[in-house]
Amino acid sequence: MKQFSLTRMALLTVVVIGMATMGFQCSSPNITSGKLYLQQYQSSKNSEKLDKAQEAFEKEIAQKPNSAEGWYWIGHVYAEKKEFGKLQEAWSKAQQLGGKSTAEIDNYRLSYWGKAFNYGATTFKKAQMTKNEGLYKKAAETFAAATMLEPDSSAAYNAYTYEAFALMGMGDNEAAREPLAKQIEANPTPEAYSALGQLLRKDANALKEGGDAEAAKGKFDEALTLLNRAVADFPENPDLNNELLNTYIAADRVNEAVEKFQSYADNNPKDAGAQYAAGTALLQINMFEKAAHYLERALNVEPDNTSALYNISVSYLRHGISMRDADESGGADAPQSDFKSVIRKAIPYLQKLLDIQPESASNWDLAGKIYATLGMTKDAAAAYDKADELRK
């Protein structure tokens, strides 16, 4: 499954609001004490003051579980401690109870949402670098809190998707589906479509491998419906076109896709992704000459597109092998084709592919097959040896 990243996401600029309304009149001793400690912490950044504030507010809540003011103020402590899930829970409780202090929540909600969003992003990046499951969990919880603090802002900034990425990072693909669906419902993004499409395809493949063909068909239908909608919403996104193509291939329904991809490619000649998708779809149904035509068009737009370089090499190889097999089935008296001349067309593309990706074992395996079919035994042996060496 494709690995998703936050590397292109900019952190939000957070407007910090001072607690100008932190008055001390008409409050219980616990609230008054807690606010004093919180104010001292904001001036000194002394963590002991913040702990003292938390103790005071916790005492208030213990003595008066229905103290909206206590729940409101302890929410500020949780925000300072970057415990945004607890912040959201405390403020939800305060709002349920009502009271004058809860009117202040909206004055701070957006600022704390921005802090939660940024903290989730930086935590997730650390999780990606360290592969730390605990950090993935923390990031997921923080993004979840952000989406509850500000649902609309979260949808606008793709926060539901980032929550899903964090869940997927910790291996919880099942839980990732819900935030992805919420993102698509509230504000569709290519990333959300792509991730949910992959998860649905994974489900379908598992059902297919398990022998439940009917259930697999239903899940593939669901994935294809989603990804066709995605391509309609974002027609110029090459990743979504590739996701759609891969799903048609996995569902053994490439024939349905060929006309769709060809038409889109013909109408968008400068879209390398569209040309690649059409060529790859045609390759899947053994229409080798047409496949090479579209893959060549993809390379005219993006000369270093390694996927297109690989597939056009495969197309010429399979085309030549099909010609050779037809010669052999026709008998000794049948006219013989020059199948090797077709396969040789792959050599320039193959060489460029090897120059760009010399450390790919699969590229050297392909080279070995092409050289062997052409009778270039020494080159084939060297290519296979290189592939084996890279796999060690």
Side-chain angles (χ1 to χ4, degrees):
M1 181 174 290
K2 177 181 176 181
Q3 294 298 308
F4 296 97
S5 171
L6 298 186
T7 54
R8 292 180 294 176
M9 185 189 70
L11 297 181
L12 299 172
T13 300
V14 179
V15 178
V16 179
I17 302 174
M19 296 193 180
T21 59
M22 191 184 290
F24 296 94
Q25 68 279 9
C26 301
S27 294
S28 73
N30 292 323
I31 296 294
T32 300
S33 176
K35 288 196 286 188
L36 178 60
Y37 282 124
L38 184 55
Q39 191 175 61
Q40 290 173 346
Y41 165 75
Q42 290 181 323
S43 299
S44 66
K45 298 304 178 184
N46 183 334
S47 61
E48 291 182 3
K49 299 296 184 182
L50 190 59
D51 291 337
K52 289 288 188 181
Q54 182 170 348
E55 289 175 12
F57 297 136
E58 285 177 344
K59 187 176 180 180
E60 173 74 8
I61 292 167
Q63 293 174 354
K64 302 175 184 177
N66 291 330
S67 170
E69 194 176 12
W71 287 108
Y72 166 73
W73 282 108
I74 203 169
H76 284 293
V77 173
Y78 291 143
E80 295 292 352
K81 290 190 171 186
K82 294 183 171 60
E83 296 176 351
F84 295 102
K86 291 183 177 180
L87 160 66
Q88 192 279 327
E89 291 172 5
W91 277 6
S92 292
K93 182 72 172 177
Q95 287 184 305
Q96 289 171 11
L97 294 168
K100 292 182 179 180
S101 62
T102 60
E104 294 294 325
I105 286 177
D106 288 341
N107 292 335
Y108 295 93
R109 186 185 296 278
L110 188 60
S111 174
Y112 285 158
W113 168 79
K115 288 183 177 181
F117 185 94
N118 287 347
Y119 184 63
T122 55
T123 302
F124 182 57
K125 288 179 182 178
K126 289 177 183 176
Q128 286 186 304
M129 291 187 289
T130 61
K131 309 301 180 186
N132 185 297
E133 185 172 336
L135 288 175
Y136 277 124
K137 183 179 180 182
K138 185 69 173 177
E141 290 173 347
T142 304
F143 278 124
T147 62
M148 288 185 281
L149 283 168
E150 277 283 332
D152 292 343
S153 297
S154 293
Y157 284 88
N158 221 9
Y160 290 100
T161 305
Y162 302 137
E163 177 191 351
F165 289 177
L167 289 165
M168 292 162 69
M170 58 187 282
D172 197 348
N173 291 343
E174 188 64 35
R177 288 164 171 73
E178 183 178 353
L180 289 171
K182 286 181 177 178
Q183 181 69 56
I184 291 169
E185 180 181 1
N187 178 38
T189 64
E191 296 88 353
Y193 273 131
S194 180
L196 187 55
Q198 287 189 46
L199 291 176
L200 291 172
R201 187 170 71 241
K202 184 178 180 181
D203 290 344
N205 281 329
L207 291 166
K208 182 180 176 182
E209 292 168 4
D212 194 340
E214 189 64 27
K217 180 181 181 301
K219 191 59 69 172
F220 277 126
D221 286 344
E222 186 179 351
L224 288 169
T225 298
L226 176 82
L227 290 169
N228 273 301
R229 175 185 162 190
V231 169
D233 283 351
F234 300 97
E236 297 182 4
N237 187 287
D239 290 339
L240 291 175
N241 271 295
N242 288 339
E243 291 295 344
L244 181 60
L245 172 60
N246 289 336
T247 304
Y248 273 116
I249 291 171
D252 299 320
R253 291 165 57 178
V254 180
N255 284 332
E256 297 176 35
V258 167
E259 184 176 347
K260 177 193 296 287
F261 285 117
Q262 277 188 272
S263 175
Y264 184 78
D266 290 340
N267 290 327
N268 298 273
K270 294 183 179 180
D271 185 337
Q275 309 310 314
Y276 170 79
T280 302
L282 289 159
L283 177 58
Q284 289 291 320
I285 59 172
N286 299 329
M287 297 184 70
F288 303 116
E289 290 182 272
K290 283 189 175 182
H293 168 71
Y294 283 99
L295 292 166
E296 178 65 43
R297 282 168 58 170
L299 291 167
N300 287 339
V301 180
E302 290 183 2
D304 294 338
N305 185 322
T306 54
S307 295
L309 287 167
Y310 186 95
N311 280 1
I312 197 170
S313 300
V314 170
S315 183
Y316 283 126
L317 172 62
R318 290 184 184 174
H319 188 190
I321 290 174
S322 70
M323 293 169 64
R324 182 197 64 189
D325 292 346
D327 291 345
E328 292 175 353
S329 65
D333 295 332
Q336 300 296 296
S337 64
D338 185 10
F339 73 91
K340 289 187 178 181
S341 66
V342 173
I343 298 176
R344 287 192 191 97
K345 293 180 181 179
I347 297 293
Y349 302 105
L350 173 67
Q351 190 56 60
K352 185 168 186 177
L353 177 65
L354 294 173
D355 289 342
I356 296 172
Q357 291 183 330
E359 303 303 315
S360 170
S362 61
N363 291 347
W364 288 103
D365 275 329
L366 176 60
K369 292 174 185 176
I370 290 173
Y371 294 145
T373 309
L374 290 172
M376 301 166 61
T377 54
K378 289 184 178 179
D379 292 312
Y384 284 131
D385 287 344
K386 180 68 174 178
D388 290 340
E389 178 185 334
L390 290 168
R391 274 191 287 265
K392 290 179 181 177

